[in-house]
Amino acid sequence: MADVGSKQNFDWQKLYVKATDKIMGDEDCAFRSLLTAAPPLLNCDHGDPTMFEAYWNAHKDDHVKVGYANDTLSYFVKSKEQEGCPWFVSALLDDAIRELHSFVGNAVTGDRAIVVGNGSTQLFQAALYALATRDGTSTPVVSEAPFYSAYREIIDYLQSKLFHWAGDSKTFHPKANETFIEMVTTPNNPCGTMREGLGLGDKGTIVHDLAYYWPTYVPIISSFDSDVMLFTLSKCTGHAGLRIGWAVVKNPAVAKKMAEFVALNTIGLAQDAQSRAAGLIRTVIRGYGGKRRQDHCIADDNFEISLSDPKYLLAHEIRITEALLAKKFFHWSRQVMESRWVKVRSALAGNKNFSLQNNVASATHTFSTCTFSGTSHSTYPAFIWLKCEKEGTDCQMILKRNGILGRNGALFGVSTQYARLSLLDHEPAVDLLVERLTTLEC
Amino acid sequence: MADVGSKQNFDWQKLYVKATDKIMGDEDCAFRSLLTAAPPLLNCDHGDPTMFEAYWNAHKDDHVKVGYANDTLSYFVKSKEQEGCPWFVSALLDDAIRELHSFVGNAVTGDRAIVVGNGSTQLFQAALYALATRDGTSTPVVSEAPFYSAYREIIDYLQSKLFHWAGDSKTFHPKANETFIEMVTTPNNPCGTMREGLGLGDKGTIVHDLAYYWPTYVPIISSFDSDVMLFTLSKCTGHAGLRIGWAVVKNPAVAKKMAEFVALNTIGLAQDAQSRAAGLIRTVIRGYGGKRRQDHCIADDNFEISLSDPKYLLAHEIRITEALLAKKFFHWSRQVMESRWVKVRSALAGNKNFSLQNNVASATHTFSTCTFSGTSHSTYPAFIWLKCEKEGTDCQMILKRNGILGRNGALFGVSTQYARLSLLDHEPAVDLLVERLTTLEC
């Protein structure tokens, strides 16, 4: 499920918006000076995927959508309703999503329904609505800690009698024959770990939140084929402002019930957004010219991480630029993330007071071969999951004193010694974050 | 709140979509032949506002929105958050909405917050969420029958502990000091009556659903200035596929809570849709060239309804065309609705078995002066509210036998002798409806 979080630092946000206006080419300096000026707090609380602007700014004309005044004058869109798809989902977007999953190889969509909604946040609620028992009891929803901080909030806000938040799946003991729902986020938000779910008995239904299961963040190992899989455009192409999420659903009755939720909740979703989403997805695929592997133009060989080599980061920069120019979207985004992680690990390498809890991203972790790119690499999570090693400390407070706004570990169901920091911001903001992490004091 | 309803007749819908593709100029004949071909049932169940296509087809280039691949790459939009507006509402749309209300004169917006959402359906839920007591009891929600059929369904589907549907306000007796919410739809859906609300004691909060309080449907008498007012673009400019609704809210704390709902429910709404909505609203206003009254180019004098005069409908056609060419959107839509009502009344005039319950639209009803147009006219509801006079009959079933799909009165909290029929379809579909109403048999 997508992540936006609270906007705790309004002044920074205002500054940020001003800065965003100016971020192009030589004006990066202006952006940076704005960021470093007062107020000094760097907002890494939310996972706003502005990182992707660098790619799309370079290819802004690759998908241009023209909307006339007589477009979208009906609740109804050309859908694949006759094939069992929701009446409010555009056939074009349905096709594009299936093609994308087939191209990337991260999810099976054949004979599955695709339910599109206003972001995966809405589809998460649709899944709860569809999977809750209707026997008069409230269905517990659990997730293994650290779990995505918004689950609890979204489950609770309307105080539904259909379901309730039941906390960490590790400490959850279902009653005999009790039906429950387990949210499995993989790779996990906040820590980036690949997860299987605890699957506590045969009465549990797993909903897979696969928001980050893209080559950008993780080697694609296999095509997921579970009952309910949630995705969001925000963490795929980066178009968070389109509010497009989707669910791939095996059981037609569950899909129908999820579509019922979206229809009751918002009578579907904006057709303009659907049409642009379809076009952008096709643009990503088209960039690869129909071929999955493009090793001939992108040097994506395995290599040993050797930070002592001054050419290391330069080589990265070259690869990023190559991928950008070659329009290999996922190669580009993966290289960007890898480069960011190299810098982050380097910044914290000598710091005994803090430890990176994204163990999957450590230099010693065994690489996996990505079936999408054909190359072997580690995972590069969207978030830094940081632990302050001193007992009883509040990592978020410490970060704040160091000019960084993070999200408190307590919101993810663990101790305040943990905090989450987004790595999806613009490059200058990430560089500033790295600078501040380098001098991080307890 | 907007109205879409269930799609009970899928084959018809399929046909409809095919027909919509072809509806332009001379191809109206093709459209009509499709409509009259098997399957014969004419779907008047939902209030899909395709009537407005005729206007926007003629002015399709008056607002052209170009979206580039690097647009909407952030959850955040340039908002007026610093002025207390929701962070996800575009400042452009906020401004356009205020200008529209000021131009039309149907709602006071000064010193009010505007909360935009995915259609007014979402804002209806946001209002319930914001106004429900948080004292551990469930807040009753009532509305005077006949009430909009979707209220009950939307209140109930998530089984929230915060609020519940308590039925017809006429038979509702709040307990001592019990807080409750009254939905007042004015003009009312289904019947078009202007309503004040029962206001049962000082513990009731009224939410005004003003979806149809536009010059299209009713003379604008005064600028509404109540606590929470809901509007939707679907029944204003007709762009139902954009999923744009808004609430004008007096109490900043209520507005904040409503915005919280939209943020938790869907993390705001599509920025593309907001931007197009703002542009379309401005296009409507621009059509009037800054002036409210344009009597010099539109002959909009009062006249006695005289159906015996064969020139009557022709005069209507001329006025409709004049308004269309002069880009007076609301003059055009009002004339279209008036013309439709003339035909409907004529079709049912001699029929003793059925009666139009939209008494406000009767020929004998006193006209009101519309402060927007400066002329005096009756109301022209979006729906026909039909009663079969024979005791114990099912009007919907009778209509079905006559080739018309309507919505059963029981869904609106009254007897099955009533049924609702949409009058917002394309012109050829309405003509066919009128034809079938002319021969309507019990």
Side-chain angles (χ1 to χ4, degrees), chain B residues 145-167:
Chain B
F147 41 72
Y148 174 40
S149 52
Y151 288 152
R152 176 164 40 188
E153 206 177 14
I154 293 168
I155 289 167
D156 285 346
Y157 77 114
L158 265 173
Q159 301 182 25
S160 171
K161 289 176 202 153
L162 294 175
F163 47 78
H164 64 276
W165 173 245

PDB file of all heavy atoms in Angstrom, chain B residues 145-167:
ATOM      1  N   ALA B 145     -38.609  11.086   3.810  1.00  0.00           N
ATOM      2  CA  ALA B 145     -39.019  10.282   2.656  1.00  0.00           C
ATOM      3  C   ALA B 145     -39.930  11.104   1.749  1.00  0.00           C
ATOM      4  O   ALA B 145     -40.718  11.899   2.250  1.00  0.00           O
ATOM      5  CB  ALA B 145     -39.743   9.024   3.126  1.00  0.00           C
ATOM      6  N   PRO B 146     -39.842  10.957   0.435  1.00  0.00           N
ATOM      7  CA  PRO B 146     -38.884  10.095  -0.246  1.00  0.00           C
ATOM      8  C   PRO B 146     -37.470  10.676  -0.191  1.00  0.00           C
ATOM      9  O   PRO B 146     -37.277  11.842  -0.523  1.00  0.00           O
ATOM     10  CB  PRO B 146     -39.406  10.063  -1.685  1.00  0.00           C
ATOM     11  CG  PRO B 146     -40.149  11.349  -1.859  1.00  0.00           C
ATOM     12  CD  PRO B 146     -40.738  11.655  -0.516  1.00  0.00           C
ATOM     13  N   PHE B 147     -36.524   9.843   0.245  1.00  0.00           N
ATOM     14  CA  PHE B 147     -35.131  10.286   0.363  1.00  0.00           C
ATOM     15  C   PHE B 147     -34.282   9.618  -0.714  1.00  0.00           C
ATOM     16  O   PHE B 147     -34.669   8.597  -1.285  1.00  0.00           O
ATOM     17  CB  PHE B 147     -34.574   9.954   1.749  1.00  0.00           C
ATOM     18  CG  PHE B 147     -34.985   8.593   2.253  1.00  0.00           C
ATOM     19  CD1 PHE B 147     -34.459   7.432   1.700  1.00  0.00           C
ATOM     20  CD2 PHE B 147     -35.927   8.472   3.282  1.00  0.00           C
ATOM     21  CE1 PHE B 147     -34.844   6.185   2.160  1.00  0.00           C
ATOM     22  CE2 PHE B 147     -36.321   7.213   3.737  1.00  0.00           C
ATOM     23  CZ  PHE B 147     -35.783   6.068   3.178  1.00  0.00           C
ATOM     24  N   TYR B 148     -33.125  10.194  -0.972  1.00  0.00           N
ATOM     25  CA  TYR B 148     -32.211   9.653  -1.990  1.00  0.00           C
ATOM     26  C   TYR B 148     -31.848   8.212  -1.625  1.00  0.00           C
ATOM     27  O   TYR B 148     -31.396   7.925  -0.519  1.00  0.00           O
ATOM     28  CB  TYR B 148     -30.968  10.541  -2.087  1.00  0.00           C
ATOM     29  CG  TYR B 148     -29.882  10.004  -2.994  1.00  0.00           C
ATOM     30  CD1 TYR B 148     -30.192   9.399  -4.209  1.00  0.00           C
ATOM     31  CD2 TYR B 148     -28.547  10.114  -2.652  1.00  0.00           C
ATOM     32  CE1 TYR B 148     -29.207   8.909  -5.035  1.00  0.00           C
ATOM     33  CE2 TYR B 148     -27.540   9.635  -3.479  1.00  0.00           C
ATOM     34  CZ  TYR B 148     -27.878   9.026  -4.667  1.00  0.00           C
ATOM     35  OH  TYR B 148     -26.896   8.535  -5.484  1.00  0.00           O
ATOM     36  N   SER B 149     -32.046   7.329  -2.594  1.00  0.00           N
ATOM     37  CA  SER B 149     -31.958   5.888  -2.345  1.00  0.00           C
ATOM     38  C   SER B 149     -30.593   5.402  -1.874  1.00  0.00           C
ATOM     39  O   SER B 149     -30.489   4.348  -1.250  1.00  0.00           O
ATOM     40  CB  SER B 149     -32.347   5.140  -3.621  1.00  0.00           C
ATOM     41  OG  SER B 149     -31.590   5.626  -4.720  1.00  0.00           O
ATOM     42  N   ALA B 150     -29.530   6.148  -2.161  1.00  0.00           N
ATOM     43  CA  ALA B 150     -28.192   5.645  -1.824  1.00  0.00           C
ATOM     44  C   ALA B 150     -27.780   5.946  -0.379  1.00  0.00           C
ATOM     45  O   ALA B 150     -26.852   5.325   0.133  1.00  0.00           O
ATOM     46  CB  ALA B 150     -27.155   6.222  -2.781  1.00  0.00           C
ATOM     47  N   TYR B 151     -28.455   6.888   0.270  1.00  0.00           N
ATOM     48  CA  TYR B 151     -28.036   7.251   1.636  1.00  0.00           C
ATOM     49  C   TYR B 151     -27.933   6.023   2.541  1.00  0.00           C
ATOM     50  O   TYR B 151     -26.917   5.779   3.184  1.00  0.00           O
ATOM     51  CB  TYR B 151     -29.023   8.242   2.267  1.00  0.00           C
ATOM     52  CG  TYR B 151     -28.979   9.643   1.694  1.00  0.00           C
ATOM     53  CD1 TYR B 151     -30.116  10.451   1.703  1.00  0.00           C
ATOM     54  CD2 TYR B 151     -27.814  10.169   1.154  1.00  0.00           C
ATOM     55  CE1 TYR B 151     -30.092  11.740   1.186  1.00  0.00           C
ATOM     56  CE2 TYR B 151     -27.788  11.455   0.629  1.00  0.00           C
ATOM     57  CZ  TYR B 151     -28.929  12.235   0.650  1.00  0.00           C
ATOM     58  OH  TYR B 151     -28.904  13.502   0.141  1.00  0.00           O
ATOM     59  N   ARG B 152     -29.026   5.287   2.595  1.00  0.00           N
ATOM     60  CA  ARG B 152     -29.094   4.128   3.485  1.00  0.00           C
ATOM     61  C   ARG B 152     -27.959   3.145   3.199  1.00  0.00           C
ATOM     62  O   ARG B 152     -27.251   2.704   4.101  1.00  0.00           O
ATOM     63  CB  ARG B 152     -30.456   3.441   3.307  1.00  0.00           C
ATOM     64  CG  ARG B 152     -30.615   2.168   4.105  1.00  0.00           C
ATOM     65  CD  ARG B 152     -32.064   1.724   4.209  1.00  0.00           C
ATOM     66  NE  ARG B 152     -32.828   1.910   2.975  1.00  0.00           N
ATOM     67  CZ  ARG B 152     -34.144   1.727   2.881  1.00  0.00           C
ATOM     68  NH1 ARG B 152     -34.834   1.356   3.952  1.00  0.00           N
ATOM     69  NH2 ARG B 152     -34.773   1.898   1.751  1.00  0.00           N
ATOM     70  N   GLU B 153     -27.799   2.843   1.920  1.00  0.00           N
ATOM     71  CA  GLU B 153     -26.801   1.865   1.481  1.00  0.00           C
ATOM     72  C   GLU B 153     -25.385   2.299   1.895  1.00  0.00           C
ATOM     73  O   GLU B 153     -24.592   1.505   2.404  1.00  0.00           O
ATOM     74  CB  GLU B 153     -26.892   1.782  -0.046  1.00  0.00           C
ATOM     75  CG  GLU B 153     -26.448   0.502  -0.671  1.00  0.00           C
ATOM     76  CD  GLU B 153     -26.668   0.538  -2.200  1.00  0.00           C
ATOM     77  OE1 GLU B 153     -26.913   1.634  -2.768  1.00  0.00           O
ATOM     78  OE2 GLU B 153     -26.570  -0.521  -2.810  1.00  0.00           O
ATOM     79  N   ILE B 154     -25.094   3.577   1.685  1.00  0.00           N
ATOM     80  CA  ILE B 154     -23.744   4.083   1.958  1.00  0.00           C
ATOM     81  C   ILE B 154     -23.498   4.195   3.466  1.00  0.00           C
ATOM     82  O   ILE B 154     -22.390   3.982   3.949  1.00  0.00           O
ATOM     83  CB  ILE B 154     -23.527   5.434   1.241  1.00  0.00           C
ATOM     84  CG1 ILE B 154     -23.530   5.197  -0.274  1.00  0.00           C
ATOM     85  CG2 ILE B 154     -22.225   6.090   1.672  1.00  0.00           C
ATOM     86  CD1 ILE B 154     -23.606   6.449  -1.096  1.00  0.00           C
ATOM     87  N   ILE B 155     -24.532   4.513   4.206  1.00  0.00           N
ATOM     88  CA  ILE B 155     -24.381   4.596   5.664  1.00  0.00           C
ATOM     89  C   ILE B 155     -24.133   3.209   6.249  1.00  0.00           C
ATOM     90  O   ILE B 155     -23.345   3.045   7.177  1.00  0.00           O
ATOM     91  CB  ILE B 155     -25.646   5.232   6.294  1.00  0.00           C
ATOM     92  CG1 ILE B 155     -25.694   6.726   5.958  1.00  0.00           C
ATOM     93  CG2 ILE B 155     -25.689   5.010   7.805  1.00  0.00           C
ATOM     94  CD1 ILE B 155     -27.015   7.386   6.251  1.00  0.00           C
ATOM     95  N   ASP B 156     -24.776   2.213   5.659  1.00  0.00           N
ATOM     96  CA  ASP B 156     -24.756   0.871   6.254  1.00  0.00           C
ATOM     97  C   ASP B 156     -23.596  -0.029   5.851  1.00  0.00           C
ATOM     98  O   ASP B 156     -23.231  -0.930   6.599  1.00  0.00           O
ATOM     99  CB  ASP B 156     -26.063   0.131   5.909  1.00  0.00           C
ATOM    100  CG  ASP B 156     -27.241   0.640   6.732  1.00  0.00           C
ATOM    101  OD1 ASP B 156     -26.993   1.353   7.724  1.00  0.00           O
ATOM    102  OD2 ASP B 156     -28.391   0.323   6.377  1.00  0.00           O
ATOM    103  N   TYR B 157     -23.010   0.182   4.659  1.00  0.00           N
ATOM    104  CA  TYR B 157     -22.170  -0.891   4.102  1.00  0.00           C
ATOM    105  C   TYR B 157     -20.966  -1.268   4.955  1.00  0.00           C
ATOM    106  O   TYR B 157     -20.560  -2.420   4.984  1.00  0.00           O
ATOM    107  CB  TYR B 157     -21.766  -0.595   2.646  1.00  0.00           C
ATOM    108  CG  TYR B 157     -20.667   0.427   2.425  1.00  0.00           C
ATOM    109  CD1 TYR B 157     -19.443   0.064   1.880  1.00  0.00           C
ATOM    110  CD2 TYR B 157     -20.860   1.767   2.727  1.00  0.00           C
ATOM    111  CE1 TYR B 157     -18.445   0.996   1.657  1.00  0.00           C
ATOM    112  CE2 TYR B 157     -19.873   2.707   2.499  1.00  0.00           C
ATOM    113  CZ  TYR B 157     -18.663   2.311   1.963  1.00  0.00           C
ATOM    114  OH  TYR B 157     -17.676   3.239   1.748  1.00  0.00           O
ATOM    115  N   LEU B 158     -20.397  -0.314   5.684  1.00  0.00           N
ATOM    116  CA  LEU B 158     -19.219  -0.650   6.497  1.00  0.00           C
ATOM    117  C   LEU B 158     -19.572  -0.941   7.950  1.00  0.00           C
ATOM    118  O   LEU B 158     -18.696  -1.215   8.771  1.00  0.00           O
ATOM    119  CB  LEU B 158     -18.178   0.466   6.410  1.00  0.00           C
ATOM    120  CG  LEU B 158     -17.110   0.231   5.353  1.00  0.00           C
ATOM    121  CD1 LEU B 158     -16.219   1.449   5.210  1.00  0.00           C
ATOM    122  CD2 LEU B 158     -16.267  -0.996   5.676  1.00  0.00           C
ATOM    123  N   GLN B 159     -20.852  -0.862   8.264  1.00  0.00           N
ATOM    124  CA  GLN B 159     -21.313  -1.140   9.633  1.00  0.00           C
ATOM    125  C   GLN B 159     -20.488  -0.381  10.667  1.00  0.00           C
ATOM    126  O   GLN B 159     -19.971  -0.962  11.626  1.00  0.00           O
ATOM    127  CB  GLN B 159     -21.286  -2.647   9.899  1.00  0.00           C
ATOM    128  CG  GLN B 159     -22.167  -3.433   8.937  1.00  0.00           C
ATOM    129  CD  GLN B 159     -22.181  -4.933   9.236  1.00  0.00           C
ATOM    130  OE1 GLN B 159     -21.937  -5.357  10.361  1.00  0.00           O
ATOM    131  NE2 GLN B 159     -22.466  -5.736   8.228  1.00  0.00           N
ATOM    132  N   SER B 160     -20.372   0.922  10.463  1.00  0.00           N
ATOM    133  CA  SER B 160     -19.607   1.750  11.399  1.00  0.00           C
ATOM    134  C   SER B 160     -20.332   1.865  12.737  1.00  0.00           C
ATOM    135  O   SER B 160     -21.558   1.927  12.787  1.00  0.00           O
ATOM    136  CB  SER B 160     -19.409   3.146  10.800  1.00  0.00           C
ATOM    137  OG  SER B 160     -18.856   4.012  11.756  1.00  0.00           O
ATOM    138  N   LYS B 161     -19.538   1.901  13.797  1.00  0.00           N
ATOM    139  CA  LYS B 161     -20.136   2.131  15.124  1.00  0.00           C
ATOM    140  C   LYS B 161     -20.399   3.619  15.347  1.00  0.00           C
ATOM    141  O   LYS B 161     -21.015   4.003  16.327  1.00  0.00           O
ATOM    142  CB  LYS B 161     -19.185   1.630  16.219  1.00  0.00           C
ATOM    143  CG  LYS B 161     -19.069   0.119  16.286  1.00  0.00           C
ATOM    144  CD  LYS B 161     -18.023  -0.286  17.325  1.00  0.00           C
ATOM    145  CE  LYS B 161     -17.499  -1.678  17.051  1.00  0.00           C
ATOM    146  NZ  LYS B 161     -16.126  -1.866  17.554  1.00  0.00           N
ATOM    147  N   LEU B 162     -19.917   4.467  14.437  1.00  0.00           N
ATOM    148  CA  LEU B 162     -20.042   5.916  14.621  1.00  0.00           C
ATOM    149  C   LEU B 162     -21.431   6.439  14.281  1.00  0.00           C
ATOM    150  O   LEU B 162     -21.891   7.409  14.860  1.00  0.00           O
ATOM    151  CB  LEU B 162     -19.015   6.648  13.747  1.00  0.00           C
ATOM    152  CG  LEU B 162     -17.539   6.443  14.085  1.00  0.00           C
ATOM    153  CD1 LEU B 162     -16.658   7.143  13.059  1.00  0.00           C
ATOM    154  CD2 LEU B 162     -17.241   6.973  15.485  1.00  0.00           C
ATOM    155  N   PHE B 163     -22.087   5.820  13.296  1.00  0.00           N
ATOM    156  CA  PHE B 163     -23.390   6.321  12.841  1.00  0.00           C
ATOM    157  C   PHE B 163     -24.209   5.176  12.264  1.00  0.00           C
ATOM    158  O   PHE B 163     -23.665   4.121  11.944  1.00  0.00           O
ATOM    159  CB  PHE B 163     -23.204   7.431  11.795  1.00  0.00           C
ATOM    160  CG  PHE B 163     -22.199   7.094  10.724  1.00  0.00           C
ATOM    161  CD1 PHE B 163     -22.523   6.242   9.675  1.00  0.00           C
ATOM    162  CD2 PHE B 163     -20.906   7.615  10.770  1.00  0.00           C
ATOM    163  CE1 PHE B 163     -21.595   5.926   8.691  1.00  0.00           C
ATOM    164  CE2 PHE B 163     -19.962   7.292   9.788  1.00  0.00           C
ATOM    165  CZ  PHE B 163     -20.313   6.450   8.755  1.00  0.00           C
ATOM    166  N   HIS B 164     -25.508   5.394  12.158  1.00  0.00           N
ATOM    167  CA  HIS B 164     -26.375   4.388  11.538  1.00  0.00           C
ATOM    168  C   HIS B 164     -27.567   5.076  10.891  1.00  0.00           C
ATOM    169  O   HIS B 164     -27.912   6.210  11.230  1.00  0.00           O
ATOM    170  CB  HIS B 164     -26.854   3.366  12.578  1.00  0.00           C
ATOM    171  CG  HIS B 164     -27.726   3.967  13.644  1.00  0.00           C
ATOM    172  ND1 HIS B 164     -27.213   4.589  14.762  1.00  0.00           N
ATOM    173  CD2 HIS B 164     -29.078   4.072  13.754  1.00  0.00           C
ATOM    174  CE1 HIS B 164     -28.206   5.042  15.516  1.00  0.00           C
ATOM    175  NE2 HIS B 164     -29.355   4.749  14.925  1.00  0.00           N
ATOM    176  N   TRP B 165     -28.171   4.397   9.966  1.00  0.00           N
ATOM    177  CA  TRP B 165     -29.335   4.915   9.260  1.00  0.00           C
ATOM    178  C   TRP B 165     -30.560   4.761  10.153  1.00  0.00           C
ATOM    179  O   TRP B 165     -30.820   3.687  10.683  1.00  0.00           O
ATOM    180  CB  TRP B 165     -29.513   4.140   7.952  1.00  0.00           C
ATOM    181  CG  TRP B 165     -30.775   4.447   7.201  1.00  0.00           C
ATOM    182  CD1 TRP B 165     -31.818   3.602   6.959  1.00  0.00           C
ATOM    183  CD2 TRP B 165     -31.120   5.686   6.564  1.00  0.00           C
ATOM    184  NE1 TRP B 165     -32.779   4.226   6.218  1.00  0.00           N
ATOM    185  CE2 TRP B 165     -32.387   5.514   5.963  1.00  0.00           C
ATOM    186  CE3 TRP B 165     -30.480   6.926   6.451  1.00  0.00           C
ATOM    187  CZ2 TRP B 165     -33.032   6.529   5.260  1.00  0.00           C
ATOM    188  CZ3 TRP B 165     -31.122   7.937   5.751  1.00  0.00           C
ATOM    189  CH2 TRP B 165     -32.379   7.736   5.164  1.00  0.00           C
ATOM    190  N   ALA B 166     -31.292   5.854  10.339  1.00  0.00           N
ATOM    191  CA  ALA B 166     -32.467   5.803  11.210  1.00  0.00           C
ATOM    192  C   ALA B 166     -33.749   6.149  10.458  1.00  0.00           C
ATOM    193  O   ALA B 166     -34.782   6.423  11.064  1.00  0.00           O
ATOM    194  CB  ALA B 166     -32.267   6.731  12.406  1.00  0.00           C
ATOM    195  N   GLY B 167     -33.670   6.154   9.123  1.00  0.00           N
ATOM    196  CA  GLY B 167     -34.885   6.241   8.317  1.00  0.00           C
ATOM    197  C   GLY B 167     -35.474   7.628   8.133  1.00  0.00           C
ATOM    198  O   GLY B 167     -34.784   8.651   8.234  1.00  0.00           O
TER     199      GLY B 167
END
